[in-house]
Amino acid sequence: MNLESTVRGLHPLEIKVLLNFKGSEEITKNDLMERLSYNEGQCNQAFSWLTSKNLLKEKSRTGRIFYELTELGIKYQKEGTPEENILKLLSQEGPLTISEITKRLNLENRDVGSAYGKLSKEGLLSMSEKKEVFISCDNFEEKLKDLRNLLNKLFKSGRVPEESLREEETEILKSLSRKRSSSRGVFKILEREDIIYTITEAGIKAKELLKAGGITGEEIGAVTPEILKNGEWKNKRFRSYNINIPPVRVLLGRKNPYGEFLEKLKDKLSSLGFEEFDGPLVETEFWNSDALYMPQFHSARDIHDVYYVNNPSHAKEIEQPYLDQVAASHENGWKTGSRGWEYKFDRDFTRKLILRSHGTVLSAKTLTHAKVPGKYFGVVRCFRYDKVDATHLADFYQTEGIVLGENVNLKTLLGLLKMFAEEVAGAKEVRYVPGYFPFTEPSVEVHIKHPVLGWFELGGSGIFRPEVTEPLGIKVPVLAWGLGIDRMALMSLGLEDLRELFSNDIEQVRLRRRK
Amino acid sequence: MPKIEITENLLTHFAGRKFSEKELEDIAVVAKAEIDGRNEEEGLIKIELNDTNRPDLWSTPGLARQFRIFLNDKEYCYNFFSGSKETKEYGSRVIKVDPELKKIRPFITAFQADGHEVDEPQLLDLIQSQEKLCWNFGRKRSSIAMGIYRADLINFPVHFRAADPDLTGFIPLGEEKKMSLREITKKHPKGVEFGWIVAPFNKYPYLEDNSGNTLSFPPVINSAHLGAVKVGDSSLFIELTGTDLNSLLLAASIAACDLSDAGFTIKPVKVEYPYETSYGRDIVTPYYFQKPVVLDIDYSNKLLGEDLTIEETAGYIKKMGNSIAVEDKKIILNPPPYRNDFMHPVDIVEEIMIGRGMNSFKPVPPEDFTMGKLSSTEEFSRRVRDIMVGLGYQEMIYNYLGSKHEFVEKMNIDSDDIIEIKNPMTENFEILRNSILPNLLNSESVSGNALYPHRIFEIGKIAVIDSRENYGTSTKNYLSLLLSDREAGFNEANSHISAVFFYLSMDYSLKEAEDPRFITGRCANIIFNGEVIGISGEISPQILENWGIEMPCTGVEINLDFLIRS
């Protein structure tokens, strides 16, 4: 950081130090306290900030010893020491037993005991045959004078440096100071270092810059309602901030970026004239496959391709006349002009409950109440009996839909696919390839050249077979389509593994961004 | 979808020409095939066949035939097919069927192929296409199983019998000792794999020749003697047994056409049934059973969006290898003997599309005006989601499948209304979720290191058993949220619920509730229009312990359907 921006970012505590001292001057904490009225905390902040910015440097440090009163010391100063109080009591009342003293002075036994021990050793007290304590010296006040003076002196000036005390005083202080293990000391010994600072070359230049800029350290820090009200800001400047401090992280409410991707897809499809459909997660074999003219013996309908519901295992009934009409179209083509699959349709199996394995279920169900012309879509959760890995999920979203119209045909199907390629995937190049789906004929796959992903299969489509549409009451051609949007979703979120779309990890989801 | 691996040499041999990589990709479209990979060094090509109704394409000769027809514009002619009007010479080649098989495995078709020495690539291709045919088209051999034998060792007639599984035995392929049919289903690897097909029956299907030599135990395993075909054999007997006669006739026709293309002479076999079939009691196979399909070109033009003449249309259909007759505006198609996928005239429309080429159809933008619209669930969910985001919550999206351990045991609830999967693949996916709270707690349990507070939610579907419904289950739209922090508590959550309802312009009230998932006295039902639509409370420390969570959590769950409907 250059000096200008350092100077701009200086705190008033730092500014005042720089402005108030000369280049060669030695600066100590006491100086700041005296000349700038800083408290100890402010002194420490100013020194630590200025030295870290290399505007001050440490010249020397010396160790010093100070004494101050403990809480007990303060109490003794105010209420008298046990010794003082015992002598005072005895001088007023005459001889008393230890327990009487303890009671009268409201002291603890051991305090009275140790005070008596000390005073009798010094010859100030003695004990009579009646176990009564009496004063055995005339000038007892003189003997206690030194301690009293020290208590008063420390009480008055707080912290007293060792060098300002006499040797006898130091000895008393040491003998009555708190030992590490005891909490009952009267005095506390403090070891402090006195550090002397001087202003550096950079500091001198910073000071010049401050002067040139007219910065005094009296600038306003915070804009408050009070100064707005009283107008105090009018003749003052505001302190500049260091705008390069890294911002603090904010936790915000957010949509899931995969959810946003799906939302955008739904908006796009509805903007293209499609109406959204929705339905239950549990479906019947009838709607999941039979209504789509997938024969009940088809290899894709083995137990290992869909999830069956354990209990209840079957729907109560399948809606009529669809059941009869679909069953007939499987058995003999019904009125569709088809020969059918030529097998006996199983009406028990068709009621079996499964987790829907593709969105086309909802396309089929929509046919029973669809408008003509009509366009429908769904982005719906589907379930597959699949081993889960980076490219396969057991439960995932599928995007599917249908277009009904008197005049829809293969060429409008291609036009629809082209529209999806351009509008949904942003592709310029499109290739159509014949495909195969049991429920559409003809069937077309659309491959696109995605601006980032290159060529891939965007989706499958076709015209619903008459064996699908007519039993469900639809006489017009129906285009059916499905889009594979997973790869685009991963790309848009900067992911490579489909499982991450459904991540449990809060931090991962919080930090995920769309491209 | 079947995937096959073929050798480049064999493809070149059958197609009569070489294909560059690009040429192969282009021509593959004609067979709805995709080139999946190519091993240049070994000359192998992996191909995926998309059309599950075209088993004729699942072999090198079959695929090459489709390419050759398309490129040379010439249909194929096979002269070994019998039919309803004509029966081909079968000599002494007869199979007699046991009446008891009617309920076990009623049908068999067969033919002999002579006059060509089979080499290794052809033998491997034959075995591969047989396996694909029987696995994908024959439902894992249950409806079609094929056996290939050395015809020169067979003494006709062959007997297709229902045999006692304990008293009948032979030396199966891959073994040295005689085993009973039952032993084979228990001990032989193929028996273990396919024994389930015959398991429900007292007697098992069994094929032997007139001298009592075993051909096979269909659909399980061939005999080690007659059923061991090697490179260099030049007289083969092929039979197919199964449950659906049309599928068997088709499969036999496909195999016969493939072997004919390879240079064999196909010799018909007569099957004598003691019961009626769709084609009589005696059927000489290969047998042409397909029926003509009639297309009106107005229909094809309407679906294709074109105005093709009858000549043009006929030309494109023929280019795909179909033989046709034209009558006025109608085209009568007789399917090739190796195909049976023309169920409806619409199937011919696709032939026209491929025959003419996809690129000849110009995309037309959709013309009809329709109104786009989001579902009411989606519209409402978005309103709620916006409020939740405004309250500082991160939206999560979870899988709907889960384990009983997480959704029942860790939640201390009973599993009465939970939808279980009958055939779970793993215990991670054995139920459909009945609540979103376990998902949210799972997130919390793995996110202890993420900066607090945690405020997460999901709007999604759950499903429960519901006997009032036709499906016995019902799917509901839920909002669930979880707060996790030192101070996360009931009152904060209630402030958030209050905000959600305020901005939805709706009212709610709370009523004290008891629920094992929440702390007693700090849990309430959410009441809307007099009905309980949700629950809110501080998650019980026992539940938190079950999940290994060491931070207080408060959860809320609301059934949005009540609000959407109101």
Side-chain angles (χ1 to χ4, degrees):
Chain A
M1 214 194 291
N2 64 25
L3 196 60
E4 279 83 6
S5 59
T6 306
V7 168
R8 259 198 310 278
L10 288 175
H11 189 272
L13 289 174
E14 299 174 279
I15 293 168
K16 285 187 201 160
V17 171
L18 289 178
L19 289 176
N20 282 284
F21 290 90
K22 289 203 231 30
S24 54
E25 213 170 340
E26 292 187 346
I27 313 168
T28 65
K29 198 182 278 181
N30 273 339
D31 298 329
L32 299 193
M33 288 174 167
E34 279 164 27
R35 283 163 62 176
L36 302 176
S37 312
Y38 286 5
N39 63 30
E40 182 155 359
Q42 291 171 322
C43 294
N44 290 338
Q45 279 178 320
F47 283 135
S48 126
W49 293 340
L50 285 165
T51 47
S52 76
K53 287 171 192 161
N54 201 29
L55 302 179
L56 283 190
K57 65 170 188 258
E58 191 181 310
K59 193 183 171 203
S60 65
R61 56 171 74 204
T62 16
R64 290 175 73 190
I65 292 172
F66 296 86
Y67 296 93
E68 60 181 30
L69 293 177
T70 63
E71 275 181 34
L72 186 67
I74 293 168
K75 192 179 165 206
Y76 285 179
Q77 193 276 331
K78 287 181 183 154
E79 299 170 10
T81 65
E83 290 85 352
E84 286 174 335
N85 293 338
I86 291 168
L87 287 167
K88 199 173 156 197
L89 180 71
L90 294 178
S91 70
Q92 285 165 2
E93 309 243 340
L96 293 167
T97 62
I98 294 275
S99 64
E100 278 168 338
I101 296 170
T102 308
K103 217 176 280 167
R104 295 290 296 276
L105 292 176
N106 197 23
L107 290 171
E108 284 181 33
N109 263 331
R110 59 172 182 162
D111 288 336
V112 177
S114 71
Y116 169 76
K118 203 162 138 203
L119 292 170
S120 68
K121 212 156 118 198
E122 287 175 27
L124 268 66
L125 293 180
S126 296
M127 195 175 286
S128 71
E129 300 78 15
K130 285 193 253 164
K131 297 270 180 193
E132 281 176 342
V133 179
F134 59 92
I135 298 171
S136 56
C137 166
D138 295 338
N139 59 343
F140 61 87
E141 274 152 351
E142 188 63 28
K143 298 252 175 183
L144 296 173
K145 196 183 67 193
D146 281 350
L147 178 59
R148 174 47 52 186
N149 286 344
L150 272 176
L151 286 171
N152 291 343
K153 186 173 184 176
L154 264 64
F155 184 76
K156 198 172 144 206
S157 43
R159 188 174 294 176
V160 175
E162 192 175 47
E163 62 266 22
S164 72
L165 296 164
R166 286 177 290 120
E167 212 168 300
E168 309 92 87
E169 288 179 318
T170 312
E171 256 168 53
I172 295 172
L173 284 168
K174 279 185 179 157
S175 71
L176 290 175
S177 281
R178 174 189 294 175
K179 308 285 184 302
R180 251 171 220 203
S181 55
S182 156
S183 61
R184 296 183 49 82
V186 180
F187 305 102
K188 193 156 48 175
I189 303 176
L190 298 169
E191 286 174 37
R192 284 291 141 89
E193 282 190 316
D194 261 8
I195 308 173
I196 299 171
Y197 297 90
T198 56
I199 300 183
T200 63
E201 289 294 309
I204 292 165
K205 282 187 193 142
K207 180 177 179 173
E208 283 158 11
L209 285 171
L210 286 172
K211 280 185 170 162
I215 299 168
T216 61
E218 296 298 327
E219 287 79 9
I220 298 176
V223 184
T224 62
E226 287 72 27
I227 67 166
L228 292 177
K229 207 182 268 175
N230 65 25
E232 191 191 321
W233 58 272
K234 278 182 182 155
N235 300 313
K236 288 200 176 167
R237 295 166 56 150
F238 289 92
R239 179 157 68 84
S240 312
Y241 287 155
N242 177 4
I243 54 164
N244 293 309
I245 292 172
V248 175
R249 183 177 169 192
V250 174
L251 293 179
L252 66 160
R254 262 178 93 234
K255 290 180 189 173
N256 188 300
Y258 181 42
E260 274 183 297
F261 178 87
L262 296 175
E263 203 173 278
K264 202 177 151 217
L265 176 69
K266 290 176 183 181
D267 286 342
K268 177 52 93 177
L269 289 166
S270 80
S271 80
L272 296 173
F274 289 83
E275 184 174 337
E276 189 184 9
F277 53 57
D278 195 5
L281 300 173
V282 175
E283 264 303 342
T284 52
E285 281 281 7
F286 180 83
W287 288 110
N288 197 64
S289 304
D290 292 340
L292 291 166
Y293 198 57
M294 291 162 78
Q296 293 178 327
F297 58 78
H298 198 272
S299 57
R301 299 185 61 176
D302 277 351
I303 180 113
H304 290 311
D305 286 292
V306 293
Y307 288 116
Y308 286 93
V309 173
N310 196 28
N311 179 38
S313 59
H314 290 75
K316 289 171 194 158
E317 58 177 12
I318 302 295
E319 302 88 322
Q320 289 288 19
Y322 309 119
L323 173 61
D324 285 347
Q325 293 173 9
V326 167
S329 81
H330 278 239
E331 289 179 346
N332 54 37
W334 191 52
K335 297 178 193 164
T336 65
S338 169
R339 65 158 198 257
W341 282 108
E342 300 175 291
Y343 71 101
K344 178 81 185 125
F345 187 85
D346 186 337
R347 289 178 179 236
D348 192 44
F349 177 78
T350 199
R351 290 189 297 117
K352 262 194 160 177
L353 293 175
I354 57 155
L355 306 191
R356 70 172 169 227
S357 68
H358 54 175
T360 323
V361 188
L362 296 173
S363 292
K365 284 184 128 175
T366 301
L367 287 181
T368 61
H369 53 84
K371 290 177 277 212
V372 180
K375 297 199 195 94
Y376 297 89
F377 83 99
V379 180
V380 300
R381 196 67 75 94
C382 299
F383 305 89
R384 283 277 167 86
Y385 193 89
D386 235 336
K387 233 192 191 126
V388 172
D389 59 30
T391 55
H392 299 85
L393 297 178
D395 97 61
F396 54 91
Y397 280 105
Q398 263 196 352
T399 308
E400 304 238 359
I402 47 176
V403 176
L404 301 92
E406 205 60 61
N407 295 314
V408 302
N409 54 46
L410 177 65
K411 283 160 76 175
T412 47
L413 175 68
L414 301 185
L416 182 75
L417 296 174
K418 184 162 181 267
M419 181 172 84
F420 287 146
E422 288 166 357
E423 294 293 323
V424 178
K428 293 271 182 312
E429 286 182 67
V430 185
R431 205 153 54 90
Y432 309 101
V433 182
Y436 174 79
F437 304 101
F439 37 84
T440 53
E441 191 79 15
S443 307
V444 179
E445 286 176 4
V446 58
H447 296 246
I448 59 158
K449 193 173 180 187
H450 187 274
V452 179
L453 298 167
W455 281 103
F456 76 94
E457 185 184 330
L458 176 66
S461 69
I463 303 176
F464 265 145
R465 298 187 64 96
E467 296 98 321
V468 174
T469 51
E470 289 180 29
L472 300 178
I474 295 292
K475 298 276 191 302
V476 299
V478 178
L479 309 180
W481 53 271
L483 298 178
I485 44 110
D486 286 345
R487 290 190 61 190
M488 286 188 285
L490 289 180
M491 183 204 71
S492 132
L493 303 179
L495 302 174
E496 279 170 3
D497 187 324
L498 283 178
R499 288 169 291 194
E500 291 194 48
L501 295 175
F502 299 91
S503 175
N504 280 323
D505 189 306
I506 296 176
E507 189 70 351
Q508 252 181 40
V509 176
R510 272 177 179 170
L511 296 179
R512 191 167 293 163
R513 291 174 291 177
R514 282 177 62 198
K515 290 211 174 119
Chain B
M1 272 173 255
K3 287 183 184 178
I4 59 170
E5 196 173 74
I6 63 174
T7 70
E8 214 159 341
N9 286 340
L10 209 55
L11 181 68
T12 308
H13 169 75
F14 280 111
R17 57 164 287 182
K18 264 184 122 50
F19 295 102
S20 70
E21 204 160 323
K22 175 82 175 65
E23 285 171 328
L24 190 60
E25 265 177 32
D26 288 346
I27 191 71
V29 166
V30 169
K32 293 188 216 165
E34 275 170 59
I35 311 303
D36 230 20
R38 225 175 160 151
N39 185 336
E40 300 274 355
E41 257 169 52
E42 294 177 40
L44 292 174
I45 308 169
K46 277 189 189 157
I47 298 180
E48 184 171 351
L49 285 319
N50 288 321
D51 194 335
T52 50
N53 279 336
R54 288 286 305 272
D56 61 298
L57 298 173
W58 305 348
S59 69
T60 313
L63 199 57
R65 184 186 312 125
Q66 188 66 59
F67 294 169
R68 197 152 45 144
I69 290 169
F70 190 82
L71 295 170
N72 302 344
D73 219 351
K74 207 170 77 189
E75 66 182 280
Y76 263 61
C77 200
Y78 297 100
N79 57 10
F80 46 79
F81 281 96
S82 300
S84 56
K85 293 188 185 107
E86 190 192 1
T87 301
K88 297 283 179 187
E89 179 54 44
Y90 52 87
S92 64
R93 294 177 298 276
V94 171
I95 301 178
K96 290 176 185 291
V97 179
D98 183 337
E100 279 193 74
L101 281 167
K102 190 171 182 188
K103 293 215 164 77
I104 303 171
R105 200 166 177 83
F107 304 114
I108 182 165
T109 61
F111 62 89
Q112 191 169 317
D114 282 354
H116 179 78
E117 273 189 21
V118 76
D119 61 18
E120 195 176 343
Q122 272 181 18
L123 189 61
L124 290 175
D125 193 60
L126 187 62
I127 292 168
Q128 172 178 258
S129 51
Q130 174 229 317
E131 277 172 3
K132 292 289 165 192
L133 193 72
C134 298
W135 186 268
N136 293 68
F137 194 64
R139 309 182 64 204
K140 300 173 186 163
R141 293 195 189 177
S142 67
S143 66
I144 304 173
M146 177 153 81
I148 306 171
Y149 312 86
R150 296 166 60 187
D152 48 346
L153 301 178
I154 296 174
N155 181 17
F156 285 100
V158 164
H159 301 273
F160 185 29
R161 289 178 36 206
D164 185 306
D166 298 304
L167 302 179
T168 317
F170 65 96
I171 305 172
L173 251 167
E175 296 288 333
E176 278 163 13
K177 268 193 237 146
K178 188 169 164 177
M179 296 167 85
S180 75
L181 302 189
R182 196 179 302 282
E183 277 177 322
I184 291 172
T185 62
K186 300 244 154 65
K187 291 178 191 156
H188 193 282
K190 291 290 173 192
V192 172
E193 193 177 355
F194 298 106
W196 60 274
I197 300 168
V198 296
F201 306 107
N202 293 331
K203 289 190 172 179
Y204 291 175
Y206 176 65
L207 267 178
E208 63 181 354
D209 77 354
N210 208 34
S211 317
N213 290 320
T214 306
L215 276 78
S216 66
F217 164 22
V220 179
I221 187 75
N222 277 6
S223 84
H225 177 48
L226 290 182
V229 174
K230 315 182 295 295
V231 168
D233 285 346
S234 60
S235 181
L236 309 176
F237 176 74
I238 289 100
E239 57 74 26
L240 300 100
T241 62
T243 50
D244 176 52
L245 184 53
N246 280 356
S247 305
L248 284 174
L249 290 172
L250 178 69
S253 300
I254 290 170
C257 291
D258 282 3
L259 288 168
S260 169
D261 288 3
F264 286 92
T265 304
I266 305 301
K267 294 180 173 169
V269 169
K270 183 170 84 163
V271 182
E272 292 178 9
Y273 289 99
Y275 38 79
E276 282 303 323
T277 75
S278 323
Y279 307 105
R281 283 182 176 242
D282 292 352
I283 306 176
V284 176
T285 61
Y287 183 88
Y288 185 82
F289 66 100
Q290 289 88 334
K291 294 192 182 68
V293 183
V294 180
L295 173 77
D296 187 323
I297 68 154
D298 286 345
Y299 179 69
S300 55
N301 277 337
K302 180 173 161 51
L303 276 190
L304 294 171
E306 291 287 347
D307 203 10
L308 304 175
T309 64
I310 190 116
E311 290 78 19
E312 287 171 315
T313 306
Y316 299 133
I317 300 173
K318 273 167 88 172
K319 200 171 163 63
M320 295 298 288
N322 301 297
S323 85
I324 53 170
V326 175
E327 253 177 48
D328 193 16
K329 283 177 84 178
K330 290 187 163 47
I331 291 172
I332 300 144
L333 176 141
N334 288 298
Y338 46 84
R339 287 181 65 175
N340 188 32
D341 58 324
F342 296 96
M343 282 190 266
H344 185 281
V346 75
D347 294 297
I348 308 178
V349 176
E350 192 172 79
E351 298 286 298
I352 305 169
M353 177 184 90
I354 300 174
R356 189 176 183 228
M358 209 75 236
N359 291 337
S360 67
F361 296 91
K362 295 285 162 269
V364 171
E367 285 166 1
D368 291 324
F369 173 79
T370 55
M371 192 92 79
K373 204 164 107 182
L374 295 173
S375 69
S376 52
T377 303
E378 175 70 14
E379 295 272 15
F380 192 84
S381 300
R382 288 188 184 190
R383 272 182 81 185
V384 176
R385 187 180 301 136
D386 283 348
I387 300 170
M388 291 307 298
V389 168
L391 286 167
Y393 283 76
Q394 169 67 54
E395 183 191 16
M396 305 296 287
I397 297 182
Y398 298 111
N399 284 121
Y400 286 2
L401 299 179
S403 69
K404 265 202 249 178
H405 180 59
E406 288 178 338
F407 282 77
V408 179
E409 288 160 29
K410 283 190 178 178
M411 299 305 291
N412 277 8
I413 57 166
D414 51 40
S415 55
D416 292 349
D417 73 344
I418 216 156
I419 297 174
E420 281 179 45
I421 292 169
K422 190 175 191 170
N423 55 327
M425 184 179 257
T426 71
E427 62 177 29
N428 291 332
F429 306 118
E430 58 183 350
I431 57 112
L432 190 53
R433 72 177 183 185
N434 64 340
S435 163
I436 304 176
L437 281 177
N439 292 122
L440 296 168
L441 286 167
N442 188 25
S443 268
E444 179 55 36
S445 75
V446 299
S447 304
N449 291 329
L451 188 60
Y452 281 91
H454 294 169
R455 292 175 170 185
I456 52 176
F457 80 105
E458 187 187 20
I459 296 170
K461 293 188 193 300
I462 63 109
V464 290
I465 292 175
D466 182 346
S467 57
R468 292 164 304 177
E469 296 288 327
N470 182 28
Y471 282 8
T473 55
S474 65
T475 299
K476 302 168 199 255
N477 294 291
Y478 265 38
L479 158 69
S480 288
L481 61 91
L482 189 83
L483 280 161
S484 177
D485 191 17
R486 273 182 182 282
E487 272 107 41
F490 182 87
N491 293 331
E492 189 182 0
N494 196 23
S495 300
H496 296 166
I497 299 169
S498 160
V500 169
F501 277 86
F502 179 80
Y503 290 108
L504 291 172
S505 301
M506 293 173 175
D507 293 317
Y508 76 103
S509 59
L510 294 181
K511 189 162 182 267
E512 240 179 72
E514 282 272 354
D515 187 303
R517 297 173 296 174
F518 301 96
I519 297 175
T520 304
R522 300 183 183 188
C523 167
N525 280 329
I526 299 169
I527 315 280
F528 174 76
N529 280 351
E531 285 187 275
V532 175
I533 65 155
I535 194 157
S536 167
E538 295 185 8
I539 307 287
S540 132
Q542 181 59 59
I543 304 284
L544 296 180
E545 187 182 281
N546 295 349
W547 284 98
I549 295 172
E550 292 173 345
M551 190 62 86
C553 290
T554 293
V556 177
E557 191 149 80
I558 298 175
N559 181 345
L560 294 181
D561 291 335
F562 285 93
L563 309 182
I564 296 170
R565 280 199 295 268
S566 75

